[in-house]
């Protein structure tokens, strides 16, 4: 029996917490799947009662984000936090074992009937990669990993992009460790050879991106002169700009296939629920992709987390805006979280400030980790910052009410 089923069976509410009707053979009372302490006879009753119930609703199952797999202590003096009726809370565990609330997750109250599955099985709420996306990734079976959400509901998607010389495997493991609710993950490797329409890549090339010398792996674009000197290329060096532009356009094709409206609902991802997570070169690629996404007059993505990297130039060749005569208010920059270290010489605080000035500064949040050099997330404080950023932007479906019949 699943953990959620065990908790539900133990509490088994027999009365609607709002209208007070009692369960009967003709009336089912379903428990709140967050706390399992109260029940409701319909979606309407749950929504009507949420403003009051939210003050005492505390999670009792695995939908919390655990930075370590340890049970949550029962803190009798835990502060009650007031939130609006469209959110639930995201929590992380601190070093002393206490739990800290880091922010709300948006709830989907108005669910489109065309996309709701009446079957309660978790597989009915999972999304697959679209045929167009699979075609692009056709030759790269060993260079990416797509995982469904651990709770069986794929409402959000996080795309991981590694740094130079690394691969997708550590980031796939990171996605599993983070256990974001209702969030699938797609971890990509720069070793992949994408099947792109009108691709300019060499037919004999092993990768759509850049292969490092001496078997050192792959990266997304040329940051250094890998052919002769081994020196870092200036930000405006033609080779750097050309290879970065190629990478951005390739990833834009992949992202466009994921968000293609013509896809079946089981494989279509809403742009606002797609998040990019990149480190170093992967962070630069992620942020450049956000900028191109805006130039192409798309609605913003859910967000981008850039660790030790970001955009460094005012523009890229080939990445230009499209002509558009309509209302441009909805075509805004994607929210970005930049994390750098106070001792990072590869992507310094000064570089992060320059990135913010090039991008839309109102959309950028910067966290400087004291004493840290150039590296991936290595502290609880950094992870908590990431969780806080995500908690304000992730969307969570109210699955407990989807199986109820209308009264």
């Amino acid at each position: 029996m699943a953990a959620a089923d065990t908790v539900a069976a133990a509490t088994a509410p027999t009365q609607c917490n709002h209208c007070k009707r009692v369960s009967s053979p003709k009336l089912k009372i379903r428990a709140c799947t967050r706390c399992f302490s109260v029940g409701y006879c319909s979606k309407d009753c749950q929504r009507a009662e949420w403003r009051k119930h939210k003050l005492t609703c505390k999670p009792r199952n695995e939908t919390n984000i655990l930075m370590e797999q340890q049970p949550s202590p029962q803190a009798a003096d835990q502060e009650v936090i007031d939130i609006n009726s469209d959110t639930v809370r995201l929590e992380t565990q601190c070093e002393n074992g206490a739990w800290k609330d880091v922010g709300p997750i948006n709830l989907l109250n108005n669910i489109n009937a065309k996309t709701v599955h009446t079957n309660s099985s978790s597989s009915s709420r999972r999304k697959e990669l679209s045929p167009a996306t699979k075609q692009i990734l056709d030759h790269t079976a060993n260079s990416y990993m797509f995982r469904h959400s651990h709770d069986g509901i794929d409402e959000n998607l996080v795309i991981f992009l590694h740094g130079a010389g690394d691969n997708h495997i550590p980031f796939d493991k990171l996605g599993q460790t983070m256990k974001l609710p209702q969030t699938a993950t797609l971890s990509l490797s720069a070793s992949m050879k994408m099947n792109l329409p009108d691709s300019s890549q060499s037919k004999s090339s092993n990768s759509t991106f850049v292969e490092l010398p001496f078997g050192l792996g792959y990266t997304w674009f040329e940051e250094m002169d890998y052919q002769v000197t081994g020196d870092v290329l200036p930000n405006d060096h033609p080779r750097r700009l050309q290879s970065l532009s190629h990478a951005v356009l390739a990833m834009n094709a992949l992202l466009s296939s994921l968000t293609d409206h013509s896809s079946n609902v089981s494989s279509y991802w809403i742009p606002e629920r797609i998040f990019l997570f990149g480190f170093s070169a992967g962070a630069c690629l992620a942020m450049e992709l956000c900028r191109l996404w805006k130039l192409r007059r798309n609605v913003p993505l859910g967000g981008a987390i850039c660790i030790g990297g970001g955009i460094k130039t005012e523009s890229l060749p080939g990445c230009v805006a499209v002509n558009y005569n309509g209302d441009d208010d909805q075509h805004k920059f994607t929210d970005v979280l930049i994390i750098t270290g106070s001792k990072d010489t590869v992507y310094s605080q000064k570089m992060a400030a320059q990135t913010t000035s090039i991008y839309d500064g109102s959309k950028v949040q910067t966290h400087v980790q004291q004493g840290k050099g150039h590296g991936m997330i290595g502290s609880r404080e950094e992870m908590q910052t990431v969780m806080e950023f995500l908690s304000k932007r992730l969307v969570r479906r109210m699955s407990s009410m989807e199986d109820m019949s209308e009264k």
Side-chain angles (χ1 to χ4, degrees), residues 79-368:
E79 180 185 4
V80 176
I81 300 177
D82 187 17
I83 57 178
N84 63 63
S85 60
D86 296 326
T87 58
V88 292
R89 309 302 292 184
L90 181 68
E91 297 177 341
T92 58
Q93 193 173 29
C94 302
E95 292 182 356
N96 62 3
W99 287 77
K100 179 177 180 180
D101 188 293
V102 296
I105 300 177
N106 298 321
L107 282 176
L108 293 182
N109 286 321
N110 300 317
I111 301 173
N112 187 336
K114 293 182 179 179
T115 66
V116 173
H117 299 276
T118 55
N119 187 336
S120 61
S121 65
S122 62
S123 61
S124 66
R125 301 188 183 100
R126 288 182 173 180
K127 292 186 179 182
E128 303 297 338
L129 298 179
S130 70
T133 302
K134 289 180 179 179
Q135 183 177 358
I136 290 176
L137 299 174
D138 182 43
H139 303 299
T140 61
N142 297 322
S143 299
Y144 76 93
M145 178 64 72
F146 173 72
R147 288 188 185 273
H148 293 292
S149 177
H150 71 97
D151 52 22
I153 305 175
D154 298 335
E155 199 60 48
N156 310 281
L157 175 66
V158 175
I159 300 175
F160 288 99
L161 303 169
H162 63 76
D166 204 348
N167 58 54
H168 63 296
I169 296 176
F171 290 82
D172 173 55
K173 293 180 179 178
L174 173 63
Q176 294 179 68
T177 302
M178 291 173 74
K179 269 195 170 182
L180 296 170
Q182 301 190 4
T183 303
T185 60
L186 177 60
S187 306
L188 302 175
S189 171
S191 64
M192 62 184 176
K193 186 171 184 178
M194 302 169 74
N195 184 17
L196 299 171
D198 302 322
S199 176
S200 60
Q201 67 188 15
S202 169
K203 297 294 183 181
S204 61
S205 173
N206 293 325
S207 169
T208 297
F209 304 100
V210 177
E211 184 174 4
L212 300 176
F214 311 115
L216 295 177
Y218 295 83
T219 188
W220 302 106
F221 59 93
E222 293 188 61
E223 296 179 281
M224 301 173 63
D225 182 359
Y226 300 118
Q227 301 175 5
V228 183
T229 66
D231 294 336
V232 175
L233 296 176
N235 293 337
D236 58 354
H237 193 284
R239 277 199 0 233
R240 178 187 183 275
L241 294 178
Q242 183 177 3
S243 65
L244 177 54
S245 176
H246 173 76
V248 172
L249 292 173
M251 293 305 301
N252 181 69
L254 178 64
L255 194 56
S256 297
S257 72
L258 288 166
T259 58
D260 184 2
H261 287 274
S262 64
S263 299
N264 185 283
V265 68
S266 63
S267 58
Y268 165 65
W269 297 88
I270 298 174
E272 296 96 325
R273 296 173 198 168
I274 295 180
F275 298 82
L276 305 178
F277 188 119
F279 167 62
S280 197
C284 179
L285 176 58
M287 200 166 180
E288 287 285 7
L289 185 55
C290 290
R291 177 162 64 174
L292 177 63
W293 199 248
K294 195 268 184 187
L295 292 174
R296 294 293 171 90
R297 298 298 190 269
N298 296 300
V299 297
L301 301 175
I305 299 168
C306 299
I307 313 297
I311 58 176
K312 297 180 179 179
T313 57
E314 293 288 345
S315 62
L316 284 178
C319 297
V320 296
V322 296
N323 294 326
Y324 182 76
N325 298 321
D327 183 7
D328 201 41
D329 288 344
Q330 64 175 329
H331 305 130
K332 300 178 181 178
F333 281 98
T334 296
D335 292 339
V336 174
L337 168 64
I338 295 176
I339 295 182
T340 186
S342 62
K343 296 183 179 180
D344 192 337
T345 58
V346 177
Y347 186 73
S348 63
Q349 297 180 60
K350 182 179 179 180
M351 292 179 183
Q354 292 173 344
T355 292
T356 302
S357 65
I358 296 172
Y359 199 74
D360 182 347
S362 66
K363 295 292 185 178
V364 179
Q365 172 188 341
T366 303
H367 172 82
V368 179

